[in-house]
């Protein structure tokens, strides 16, 4: 068993410094490189085996778990393969309902199965008559259980990428950050599945500047790949301490089915907030660039004052695949290609 990174724990246990300072302190409050101290020492002794994010070598994964994962993946793909038939049946019943509601004759191609379709439609209620897709299965527990997020970086990260990862940890409630080390993608995914993690976020860089973000939903996808642009950290914004309340979310400018898909991927990274929360996270789509902003607000009579607390960056979606990011054979749901940059096709979200 190999422990990587620092313990930050889930939820309230193991805070890593409310304002995400520079080198980040450890459990005993040592801290390194300035800012962000850890918890006070004392209490019961800490042992690596008790770490909530202990990554095991891939070869030590129990055979039963590997078989169960393969079986559940096959079941997911089978349900997805039935979508075409279910969509056709849904459309036929919708046409029959419309014809009956308008008092028109039953369409010719439906007259032989009209009786069966009418019986099926009569047995449905407001929930079951809605068409279900594989997207419903992916986020079936969203809004019922709070998400648990695992945040890491590419290998051998620079100081700026480490700082950005720390700020992402503060941004997402119920998240934990660990160092990547030398562990492969398979080990990361298997650890997330065994620990009940709902999403894995990996930050990448080029030339010491964060330029990529991978959001992988567990246990079987989807995985969204974003380009990062104009990253401004909290230190550069000169922000105060960050509120730990669950934030309210604002999504603006997402008007297509792909925009709805991206909204679901980003929305379910956050738990349901309380009404009294004064923290607001905004995702604003402008020409397929998603502007991320993070504010707190205060009410003064009838006036509302916004204060930015960072970080700030732009996201550019370029790939969505139906699987985890370590599955090279996973089906591509959407990908940005050069010929799509024409004037009438450019706005995908």
């Amino acid at each position: 068993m190999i422990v990587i990174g620092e313990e930050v724990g889930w939820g309230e246990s193991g805070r890593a410094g409310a304002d995400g300072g520079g080198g980040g302190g450890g459990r005993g409050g040592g801290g390194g490189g300035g800012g962000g101290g850890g918890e006070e020492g004392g209490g019961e002794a800490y042992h690596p085996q008790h770490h909530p994010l202990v990554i095991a070598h891939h070869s030590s994964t129990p055979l039963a778990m590997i078989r169960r994962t393969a079986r559940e993946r096959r079941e997911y793909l089978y349900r997805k393969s039935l979508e075409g038939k279910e969509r056709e049946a849904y459309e036929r019943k919708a046409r029959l309902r419309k014809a009956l509601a308008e008092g028109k004759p039953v369409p010719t191609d439906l007259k032989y199965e009209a009786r069966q379709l009418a019986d099926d439609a009569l047995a449905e209620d407001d929930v079951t008559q809605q068409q279900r897709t594989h997207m419903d299965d992916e986020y079936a527990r969203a809004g019922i259980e709070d998400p648990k997020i695992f945040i890491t970086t590419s290998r051998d990260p620079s100081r700026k990428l480490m700082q950005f990862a720390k700020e992402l940890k503060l941004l997402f409630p119920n998240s934990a950050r660990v160092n990547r080390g030398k562990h492969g993608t398979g080990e990361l995914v298997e650890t997330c599945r065994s620990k009940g993690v709902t999403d894995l976020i990996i930050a990448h860089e080029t030339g010491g500047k964060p330029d990529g973000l991978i959001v992988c939903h567990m246990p079987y996808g989807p995985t969204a790949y974003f380009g990062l642009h104009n990253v401004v950290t909290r230190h550069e914004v000169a922000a105060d301490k960050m509120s730990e309340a669950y934030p309210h979310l604002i999504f603006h400018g997402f008007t297509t089915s792909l925009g709805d898909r991206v909204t679901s991927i980003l929305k379910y990274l956050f738990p349901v907030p309380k009404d009294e929360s004064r923290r607001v996270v905004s995702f604003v789509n402008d020409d397929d660039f998603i502007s991320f902003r993070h504010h707190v607000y205060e009410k003064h009579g009838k006036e509302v004052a916004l204060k930015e607390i960072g970080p700030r960056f732009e996201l550019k979606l370029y790939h969505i695949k139906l699987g985890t990011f370590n599955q090279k054979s996973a089906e591509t749901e959407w990908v940005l290609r050069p010929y799509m940059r024409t004037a009438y096709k450019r706005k995908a979200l």
Side-chain angles (χ1 to χ4, degrees), residues 133-339:
T133 68
H134 65 278
M135 299 181 190
D136 298 320
D137 293 332
E138 292 166 351
Y139 295 100
R141 305 297 296 172
I144 302 174
E145 298 176 354
D146 288 346
K148 294 181 180 179
I149 303 175
F150 178 21
I151 299 173
T152 188
T153 64
S154 55
R155 292 176 178 172
D156 193 22
S158 67
R159 183 181 180 87
K160 187 163 186 178
L161 185 63
M162 289 291 291
Q163 180 63 40
F164 181 66
K166 288 182 180 181
E167 296 190 3
L168 288 180
K169 191 271 169 191
L170 295 174
L171 175 65
F172 295 105
N174 302 327
S175 63
R177 181 191 64 85
V178 298
N179 297 329
R180 173 67 177 273
K182 297 182 179 179
H183 300 284
T185 57
E187 296 177 62
L188 293 175
V189 171
E190 289 302 325
T191 299
C192 290
R193 286 173 177 163
S194 64
K195 300 295 182 182
V197 174
T198 60
D199 293 274
L200 172 63
I201 298 178
I202 303 177
H204 291 267
E205 66 180 344
T206 298
K209 293 183 178 180
D211 68 343
L213 205 65
I214 300 175
V215 180
C216 179
H217 185 65
M218 293 293 162
Y220 307 119
T223 300
Y225 296 78
F226 297 93
L228 269 177
H229 306 273
N230 306 323
V231 176
V232 179
T233 62
R234 281 172 40 79
H235 287 351
E236 294 170 327
V237 175
D240 296 333
K241 290 186 177 181
M242 183 183 295
S243 170
E244 296 179 358
Y246 294 169
H248 295 284
L249 304 180
I250 297 176
F251 289 89
H252 178 73
F254 298 87
T255 57
T256 66
S257 59
L258 179 63
D260 293 338
R261 178 64 155 160
V262 174
T263 299
S264 297
I265 292 173
L266 297 174
K267 175 173 64 176
Y268 293 128
L269 295 174
F270 297 88
V272 179
K274 295 182 178 180
D275 293 339
E276 59 268 20
S277 174
R278 299 296 180 91
R279 186 179 169 196
V280 180
V281 168
S282 305
F283 295 91
V284 179
N285 175 43
D286 183 15
D287 201 14
D288 288 350
F289 282 88
I290 304 172
S291 298
F292 173 87
R293 298 296 184 268
H294 186 197
H295 297 85
V296 292
Y297 71 91
E298 295 180 355
K299 289 185 177 180
H300 303 285
K302 296 183 179 180
E303 297 183 356
V304 177
L306 279 177
K307 183 175 183 180
E308 186 175 5
I309 56 177
R312 176 200 315 162
F313 51 83
E314 321 293 330
L315 294 170
K316 175 69 173 179
L317 177 71
Y318 64 89
H319 191 191
I320 299 179
K321 70 177 184 179
L322 297 175
T324 54
F325 75 105
N326 65 318
Q327 294 175 331
K328 296 182 180 180
S329 60
E331 180 182 347
T332 294
E333 180 176 341
W334 183 87
V335 63
L336 177 68
R337 299 192 183 280
Y339 65 81

